Amino acid sequence: MLALIGRGPTVPEIAAESSITVATAKVHVARLLTELDARDRAYLVITVYETGLVRASRHLACGDGRWSAAPVSRTSNTT
């Protein structure tokens, strides 16, 4: 849930992507704010990037130069 919030969607978008109600999404956001002693959702976004849960990448599909967030893969390709 933290990684999803870190990508910056609205609460209704979080609910839709997670297949939960908007009220439940609000509860998740509020609990994360409390647990991480965060003053707002911007702090949660900073936490997500600092911990490496999500990394910034160019949004190439549109070709318009916008930034998007991409989840970090937890698998290693080294042999």
Side-chain angles (χ1 to χ4, degrees), residues 1 5 10-12 14-16 18 20-30:
M1 183 62 65
I5 292 169
T10 64
V11 172
I14 292 169
S18 301
I20 58 177
T21 67
V22 171
T24 301
K26 287 180 182 180
V27 169
H28 285 300
V29 171

Side-chain angles (χ1 to χ4, degrees), residues 11-70:
V11 172
E13 291 169 340
I14 292 169
E17 191 166 332
S18 301
S19 300
I20 58 177
T21 67
V22 171
T24 301
K26 287 180 182 180
V27 169
H28 285 300
V29 171
R31 285 186 180 163
L32 284 168
L33 288 168
T34 300
E35 288 177 20
L36 296 174
D37 195 26
R39 64 182 172 271
D40 54 31
R41 286 180 53 190
Y43 181 86
L44 295 178
V45 172
I46 292 167
T47 301
V48 167
Y49 282 91
E50 285 181 345
T51 59
L53 289 174
V54 172
R55 63 186 155 106
S57 64
R58 281 283 185 185
H59 191 281
L60 301 176
C62 294
D64 61 5
R66 290 183 298 157
W67 287 93
S68 66

